[in-house]
Amino acid sequence: VKKFFIGFGVVSLLIAGVLSYFASSSPDGLDKTVEDTGIAEHAREHPFSGSTFADYAFGGDDRFTGLAGVLGVIVVLAISFGLFWLLRKKSPQS
Amino acid sequence: MINFPILPGASGHLLGGALAAILVGPYVGALCVTIVLVVQALMFADGGLTALGANVTNMALIGTATGFLVAVALRKVAERGKGGLAAVAFVSAFVNTLVAATGFIVEYAIGGVGGVEIGKVALLMWGLHALIGIGEGMITAVTVTSVASIRPDLVYLLRGSAKPLEVRS
């Protein structure tokens, strides 16, 4: 049982830490749509665009994309564990 | 985070609704996608803060619900074996992507700025997301069949049909 979760974690970290370097930097479907139609001209800058991990980098440095990815996995896991622990069904006794 | 190329100058990324719904069910699945969207918007400045509501509506709620409904409708096929499960995962993820894109089109028609003709927005969104849906379908099929081949009891869609767990001491 534990093996599955360890394997699951290793695959997640590899995808976030290594595969992320091969991600396409072209605009996604929605970005492309709003750019081509001019809707994007009405967009404002993201309030956190200057934050440490903005755009999956570290202080604007793309060489740390893998680090940003790994931290993202850890943060999502931590929040999920916390939330689902709070939301768990409590047994009627003890 | 990880965008795959679909055309020169355009890419797509996983939305994850069908994937989450097939693996953990629609309610927990919608929460999982929401957590990812919130972390992406707050920590990585990917996805606007004021757009977070629309993103959760389209990808976490509409996307997950659509993926789940399609997968449940095709459950008989999914229970036939690995190929069937892969096909169901692919189709539900493809439909999930197109319907989530439709969510944006409807929202733009209701309250979007810029006054762009809605047909133009719809055509671009659907065209691009049909291609993205193929990527979404492939990722979902590979992930779901991988989990199913090791731990079929962890696939929500197969609950009740998977072989009972062997009890080992």
Side-chain angles (χ1 to χ4, degrees):
Chain A
V1 176
K2 265 204 185 127
K3 254 191 216 163
F4 175 83
F5 292 100
I6 293 169
F8 187 87
V10 169
V11 171
S12 305
L13 291 175
L14 280 178
I15 291 173
V18 181
L19 189 66
S20 53
Y21 285 100
F22 300 94
S24 165
S25 53
S26 296
D28 66 25
L30 178 62
D31 286 329
K32 180 83 179 147
T33 301
V34 297
E35 280 171 22
D36 286 5
T37 51
I39 299 171
E41 288 159 26
H42 301 272
R44 275 167 289 142
E45 188 63 30
H46 197 291
F48 299 158
S49 59
S51 66
T52 313
F53 295 109
D55 287 324
Y56 306 101
F58 181 73
D61 191 335
D62 274 347
R63 287 175 301 173
F64 294 102
T65 289
L67 173 74
V70 168
L71 283 174
V73 169
I74 293 169
V75 168
V76 168
L77 264 183
I79 294 176
S80 307
F81 266 112
L83 265 184
F84 288 117
W85 180 78
L86 284 173
L87 292 171
R88 76 199 185 283
K89 274 185 196 140
K90 293 177 187 85
S91 58
Q93 273 155 7
S94 73
Chain B
M1 174 188 192
I2 302 188
N3 286 49
F4 47 85
I6 54 166
L7 285 174
S11 71
H13 56 76
L14 192 74
L15 282 71
L19 175 64
I22 292 172
L23 289 180
V24 297
Y27 304 114
V28 175
L31 265 178
C32 291
V33 179
T34 304
I35 291 171
V36 170
L37 291 172
V38 170
V39 170
Q40 286 185 321
L42 295 183
M43 184 173 174
F44 298 112
D46 184 15
L49 291 190
T50 49
L52 192 53
N55 282 334
V56 168
T57 305
N58 294 337
M59 290 187 271
L61 300 181
I62 298 176
T64 306
T66 306
F68 182 67
L69 291 176
V70 175
V72 166
L74 299 172
R75 185 180 267 160
K76 284 273 170 297
V77 182
E79 287 168 354
R80 263 186 227 162
K82 216 171 168 183
L85 181 64
V88 170
F90 183 93
V91 172
S92 28
F94 181 82
V95 179
N96 140 41
T97 308
L98 275 185
V99 176
T102 309
F104 171 80
I105 299 168
V106 172
E107 287 146 21
Y108 186 78
I110 296 172
V113 291
V116 179
E117 207 184 314
I118 197 65
K120 210 172 160 189
V121 176
L123 209 66
L124 268 167
M125 280 299 281
W126 278 329
L128 291 165
H129 284 87
L131 296 174
I132 294 171
I134 296 172
E136 175 104 10
M138 291 194 292
I139 296 171
T140 303
V142 169
T143 311
V144 169
T145 49
S146 306
V147 175
S149 56
I150 312 169
R151 288 286 305 273
D153 57 309
L154 290 182
V155 180
Y156 185 91
L157 187 69
L158 298 180
R159 268 193 205 169
S161 68
K163 276 180 230 152
L165 263 189
E166 197 184 318
V167 180
R168 283 179 289 194
S169 49

